[in-house]
């Protein structure tokens, strides 16, 4: 009895014919495009990729460079110092973010005579949007720090002193990597403080909302850094006191902390607030397109 099953060869041949037809069609699409290549197109394509690669490389190399300095200079304070300062800076920035929100809400309520319900709803809406942006930003920064940390560990760990100090070297790299993550969050929280202030003030005045956000964020930073328990240099000293042992290579802990954080460090930290907030404000306003709107508003007002 003859086998009634169909021959699979025609179906297989039809499948190959369809695949060849798709490849030929794709080839014609490629050949039909403009063969001329503009150099600006390559720059426009590679620019964002190079910027992202530079960020990843920087976040990965900074802990590696610092750990190499520690490894060759027997400076055991590098990891604790950068970690403590980053944690203190994040605390100060988070308080400044909250103070900015409170000050802007009070200005909308008192200065512009808005009803408490409207002022509360406006502030709550801006805070909720800012919180979601911070969550997304934190996830992105964490992923970048993780990738950069893996790269720095893979490249730098074999070249560092090993033997009895492998655990300490690993701790130095990881603590410095976490410090880079925290310092990136400092910039993120500052940008969000400025943007949230502009959104709250923008519910009442559109033209100068971003200028008002710059002034209020700067005031909130100085309040957080000088008038409360989150003063960054004092908080860094407290963290180092709990982090370091009583003697580091035969040197008392208090002497090492005094050398790393002299009395002038507080003045330097206070003086750096204004340019730091100003640069972050300019970048945030430029990135969101508000800088061009502000420039046009000033030009129209003349």
């Amino acid at each position: 009895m003859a086998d009634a099953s169909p021959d699979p060869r025609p179906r297989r041949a039809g499948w190959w014919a369809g695949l060849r037809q798709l490849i030929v069609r794709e080839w014609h699409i490629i050949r039909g495009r403009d063969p001329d290549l503009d150099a600006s197109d390559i720059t426009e394509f590679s620019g964002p990729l190079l910027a992202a690669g530079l960020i990843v490389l920087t976040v990965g190399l900074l802990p590696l460079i610092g750990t190499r300095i520690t490894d060759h200079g027997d400076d055991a304070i590098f990891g604790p110092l950068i970690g403590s300062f980053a944690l203190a800076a994040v605390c100060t920035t988070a308080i400044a973010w909250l103070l900015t929100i409170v000050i802007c809400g009070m200005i909308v309520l008192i200065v512009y005579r808005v009803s408490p319900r409207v002022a509360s709803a406006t502030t709550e809406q801006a805070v909720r949007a800012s919180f979601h942006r911070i969550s997304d930003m934190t996830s992105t920064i964490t992923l970048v720090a993780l990738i950069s940390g893996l790269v720095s560990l893979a490249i730098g760990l074999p070249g560092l002193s090993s033997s009895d100090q492998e655990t300490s070297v690993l701790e130095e790299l990881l603590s410095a990597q976490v410090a880079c993550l925290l310092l990136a969050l400092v910039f993120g929280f500052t940008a969000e403080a400025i943007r949230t202030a502009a959104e709250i003030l923008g519910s009442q005045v559109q033209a100068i909302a971003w200028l008002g956000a710059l002034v209020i964020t700067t005031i909130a930073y100085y309040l957080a850094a000088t008038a409360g328990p989150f003063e960054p240099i004092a908080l860094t000293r407290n963290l180092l006191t709990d982090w370091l042992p009583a003697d580091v290579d035969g040197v008392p802990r208090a002497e090492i902390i005094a050398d790393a954080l002299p009395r002038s460090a507080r003045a330097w930290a206070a003086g750096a607030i204004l340019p730091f907030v100003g640069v972050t404000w300019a970048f945030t306003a430029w990135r969101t397109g508000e800088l061009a709107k502000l420039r046009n508003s000033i030009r129209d007002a003349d």
Side-chain angles (χ1 to χ4, degrees), residues 3-240:
D3 189 3
S5 61
D7 188 2
R9 285 177 295 179
R11 179 178 298 177
R12 188 179 297 118
W15 185 85
W16 281 108
L19 180 59
R20 286 196 302 268
Q21 185 66 27
L22 288 177
I23 295 175
V24 170
R25 187 182 305 170
E26 189 68 22
W27 174 251
H28 286 306
I29 291 175
I30 296 174
R31 292 287 302 272
R33 297 295 172 88
D34 187 4
D36 296 333
L37 182 62
D38 193 354
S40 61
D41 295 336
I42 299 178
T43 303
E44 186 176 356
F45 166 75
S46 60
L49 295 179
L50 290 176
L54 183 61
I55 293 174
V56 174
L57 185 64
T58 302
V59 176
L61 283 182
L62 284 179
L64 181 59
I65 294 172
T67 309
R68 285 189 178 275
I69 295 174
T70 302
D71 183 58
H72 294 293
D74 295 330
D75 186 6
I77 199 175
F78 171 78
L81 178 60
I82 188 175
S84 299
F85 179 76
L87 184 57
V90 168
C91 293
T92 303
T93 307
I95 296 300
W97 176 65
L98 293 174
L99 285 176
T100 300
I101 294 171
V102 173
I103 293 174
C104 289
M106 295 300 293
I107 289 176
V108 170
L109 177 65
I110 298 174
V111 176
Y112 290 98
R113 303 291 184 177
V114 178
S115 66
R117 179 175 298 180
V118 174
S120 177
T122 301
T123 305
E124 181 182 357
Q125 183 179 1
V127 171
R128 187 179 293 124
S130 178
F131 186 82
H132 287 303
R133 289 193 298 266
I134 290 175
S135 300
D136 296 339
M137 173 194 63
T138 304
S139 301
T140 302
I141 294 175
T142 303
L143 181 59
V144 171
L146 175 61
I147 296 173
S148 303
L150 293 176
V151 172
S152 65
L153 283 174
I155 296 175
L157 191 58
L160 298 173
S161 297
S162 55
S163 67
D164 297 334
Q165 296 182 350
E166 288 183 357
T167 302
S168 63
V169 168
L170 184 60
E171 289 176 353
E172 291 287 341
L173 276 171
L174 292 179
S175 62
Q177 197 66 45
V178 172
C180 288
L181 168 63
L182 295 177
L183 290 176
L185 289 179
V186 169
F187 287 94
F189 266 107
T190 306
E192 279 305 315
I194 295 169
R195 188 170 178 177
T196 306
E199 290 179 357
I200 296 175
L201 296 178
S203 63
Q204 303 301 317
V205 52
Q206 292 291 333
I208 60 173
W210 277 83
L211 291 177
L214 173 61
V215 175
I216 293 172
T217 304
T218 304
I219 294 173
Y221 255 90
Y222 276 105
L223 290 176
T226 58
F230 296 98
E231 194 271 314
I233 301 302
L235 188 55
T236 302
R237 286 196 181 100
N238 294 334
L239 292 172
L240 283 176

Side-chain angles (χ1 to χ4, degrees), residues 253-291:
R253 176 177 56 198
E255 182 177 344
I256 290 181
I257 295 176
D259 292 337
L261 298 172
R263 295 184 180 274
S264 59
R266 180 172 297 181
W268 280 103
I273 289 177
L274 183 58
F276 171 70
V277 175
V279 170
T280 307
W281 174 87
F283 176 77
T284 306
W286 168 78
R287 187 174 179 272
T288 56
E290 296 295 334
L291 193 60

